[in-house]
Amino acid sequence: MSSTPPSSPAPAGTAEPQAAAAPRAGLLIAVLVGAAFVVILNETIMSVALPKLMVEFDVGAATAQWLTTAFMLTMAVVIPITGYLLTRLSLRTVFAIAMGSFLLGTLIAASAPIFPVLVLGRVVQAVGTAVMLPLLFTTVLNLVPADRRGRTMGVISIVIAVAPAVGPTIGGVVLDQLSWRWMFWLVLPIAVVATALGLSWIRNVTEPVAVPLDAPSVVLSALGFSGLVFGLSSLGEAAEGDPLMPPWLPLVVGIASLTVFVLRQIRLGDGALLDMRAFRTPAFSLAVALVSVSMMSLFGTLILLPIYLQNVLGQSTLTTGLMLLPGGLVMGLLGYIVGRLFDRFGPRPLVAPGAIIACVAMWGMTTFDATTAIGTVIAWHVLLNIGLALMFSPLLTSALGALPRRLYSHGSAIVSTMQQVAGAAGTALFITVLTRTTVAGAESAESAGDPAGALADGIHGAFTWGAVIAVIAVVGSLFVRRAPEPEPDAVEASVPETTGTH
């Protein structure tokens, strides 16, 4: 790592980018991408196991979905702190924290005797995953020149979008031959190898800066994000008649805490836990909003399709996983191609068509019922993934590339936080609509001897909500433009100084 010339000081927490000259930059990013793929894969690997786990642990769909929701909820709580961690600690130390947490959580989940312990394992896993995502983003932004970020972010989009998409497939293959515990036992040695390689090869590309941690911001962030997602998830449990508390209570606490949190971050300025000045950049704000809508569609679909395929169409876990594989593979194949197209043409020619394709696919999924052909399900799922692939990489690159370097770590944390909150909210929304619609139609369905019909109606209702949300993404995509690469010195001079805690 080279020293920073006195005449051009680097922003706090960053080192001068050396992507063009550093021979180890590609290796470093490859290690982080590989490790990130392993940890993010676990975000959805349990989705195909939900029907079996519902029977084994005697829990309903709204409770079982906490295996996914708790994972994303934990990430949403932890990720805001990563901006501080990436400023305060070295890259190697942050990597060790991420992978150490993931390994511990995997071990807990693999040996869980009861459902709450399994959820605990998922929570500890999620702590590691939460740290890994902003770590990867910040490293790329510091090492890769602006004119090559599109293709690099295209590879990262494979991690962010494809790993969750192929998670159900891998889970289905494992469940066909082994128990659900092997989904963790098989991942454990792979994660150990990734950790060992990372600790051996990773070198620091940032300069740690001793900054204080604002404890009230941490508390407000945790209360805000957890209250919001917990409240949304409780709506599904309320539909089953067994909520832990009235759903409105955590929702009110979450919204109020987030409001105070945002106001405090604005007041703290340079001392903020999560620097809200990133939202002063219009390209960043719009891209974050569209990524959030896309994540709602992706995770809502990934939680619904296994339930629909197994409980309505009567498919096995193996068949379910294999049916979801083509969509994940298509997204992976398009990731790098879309990144190169972004470098050449910018985001708009990709994002707008992608949003339209995803919207058409979501409306197509509203036609699913108890007689839908397997080929039709696969076709709509593949089309959805094509649309999302055209959106993810350009939006992520536009969002982060529009920021000045001093906001890279905070921008990465904001993007990652919003992804997980949106994913958890999408999962909660889809499951809530599914549960409420199914419960409402259960009496007539039972009298007709067709309980699967009530579930099919619930699936239809949930996908309808998803399709409406997709329309919002289409409208927003029309306003996407390529943002000019900011000049750090000019941006720094244009932003008024704000008294903080540094």
Side-chain angles (χ1 to χ4, degrees):
M1 181 175 64
S2 63
S3 59
T4 305
S7 59
S8 179
T14 65
E16 285 297 303
Q18 301 289 331
R24 300 182 65 90
L27 178 61
L28 171 58
I29 293 174
V31 170
L32 292 177
V33 167
F37 188 91
V38 172
V39 300
I40 298 175
L41 178 71
N42 279 265
E43 200 163 357
T44 57
I45 197 172
M46 295 297 294
S47 62
V48 294
L50 292 185
K52 285 191 174 183
L53 292 170
M54 288 163 61
V55 174
E56 180 172 338
F57 291 108
D58 191 24
V59 296
T63 301
Q65 59 104 11
W66 273 100
L67 289 173
T68 297
T69 302
F71 194 100
M72 291 184 288
L73 172 59
T74 303
M75 290 182 68
V77 171
V78 174
I79 286 174
I81 307 174
T82 60
Y84 166 81
L85 293 177
L86 289 168
T87 302
R88 182 67 179 83
L89 304 175
S90 68
L91 176 66
R92 202 162 181 268
T93 301
V94 176
F95 177 82
I97 292 173
M99 294 307 295
S101 300
F102 180 79
L103 288 171
L104 177 60
T106 302
L107 185 60
I108 293 173
S111 55
I114 57 177
F115 187 77
V117 175
L118 177 58
V119 175
L120 173 63
R122 297 283 287 167
V123 167
V124 178
Q125 272 189 324
V127 171
T129 307
V131 176
M132 181 61 69
L133 279 172
L135 171 64
L136 178 58
F137 282 139
T138 303
T139 303
V140 168
L141 290 169
N142 276 287
L143 288 180
V144 180
D147 60 351
R148 296 183 57 206
R149 281 181 190 159
R151 65 197 73 180
T152 305
M153 293 298 286
V155 174
I156 294 177
S157 73
I158 297 175
V159 171
I160 295 173
V162 177
V166 302
T169 302
I170 296 175
V173 172
V174 172
L175 284 174
D176 186 62
Q177 301 294 329
L178 304 166
S179 77
W180 59 267
R181 297 181 187 276
W182 282 96
M183 288 190 287
F184 299 105
W185 289 125
L186 292 176
V187 166
L188 195 60
I190 299 174
V192 169
V193 172
T195 303
L197 291 176
L199 293 177
S200 299
W201 293 345
I202 286 179
R203 296 296 180 267
N204 297 321
V205 296
T206 59
E207 191 68 46
V209 176
V211 294
L213 178 64
D214 185 59
S217 293
V218 175
V219 174
L220 288 169
S221 171
L223 284 175
F225 291 120
S226 62
L228 188 62
V229 177
F230 182 80
L232 289 170
S233 301
S234 297
L235 293 174
E237 294 178 340
E240 291 183 338
D242 189 30
L244 293 176
M245 65 180 68
W248 63 265
L249 182 59
L251 283 173
V252 170
V253 171
I255 293 172
S257 299
L258 281 179
T259 301
V260 178
F261 172 77
V262 170
L263 293 175
R264 183 172 180 84
Q265 303 317 293
I266 294 173
R267 183 176 66 82
L268 289 175
D270 291 334
L273 178 69
L274 208 57
D275 199 328
M276 294 294 148
R277 287 177 293 184
F279 286 106
R280 291 181 180 178
T281 305
F284 176 83
S285 301
L286 178 59
V288 167
L290 290 176
V291 167
S292 299
V293 172
S294 302
M295 291 298 288
M296 290 183 70
S297 298
L298 175 63
F299 280 93
T301 301
L302 288 176
I303 201 75
L304 275 191
L305 281 181
I307 295 175
Y308 167 69
L309 292 171
Q310 293 178 59
N311 294 354
V312 177
L313 297 187
Q315 301 298 320
S316 67
T317 53
L318 176 60
T319 302
T320 298
L322 293 176
M323 288 176 66
L324 299 177
L325 180 59
L329 292 178
V330 167
M331 186 177 288
L333 291 173
L334 287 176
Y336 186 73
I337 298 173
V338 171
R340 293 182 68 89
L341 291 174
F342 171 86
D343 287 337
R344 184 173 181 181
F345 300 109
R348 193 180 187 189
L350 299 167
V351 174
I356 293 172
I357 292 172
C359 183
V360 170
M362 290 300 298
W363 282 107
M365 290 181 177
T366 64
T367 64
F368 289 173
D369 57 26
T371 62
T372 302
I374 290 178
T376 301
V377 177
I378 295 175
W380 286 122
H381 182 239
V382 168
L383 190 65
L384 174 65
N385 281 293
I386 291 173
L388 294 177
L390 291 172
M391 297 177 68
F392 275 128
S393 176
L395 287 173
L396 289 171
T397 310
S398 297
L400 297 173
L403 297 176
R405 291 186 63 233
R406 64 183 177 82
L407 292 177
Y408 280 171
S409 61
H410 290 280
S412 300
I414 289 172
V415 169
S416 300
T417 300
M418 293 306 298
Q419 285 178 1
Q420 299 311 313
V421 170
T427 299
L429 173 64
F430 279 43
I431 286 294
T432 296
V433 175
L434 167 68
T435 303
R436 287 184 174 274
T437 307
T438 302
V439 170
E443 185 176 347
S444 59
E446 288 174 357
S447 64
D450 183 24
L455 183 58
D457 290 340
I459 294 288
H460 170 77
F463 276 127
T464 299
W465 275 87
V468 172
I469 292 173
V471 173
I472 300 174
V474 172
V475 175
S477 69
L478 302 178
F479 297 93
V480 172
R481 301 286 188 279
R482 182 194 286 271
E485 181 72 11
E487 294 292 337
D489 291 339
V491 172
E492 289 287 339
S494 66
V495 177
E497 287 294 322
T498 306
T499 301
T501 59
H502 280 238

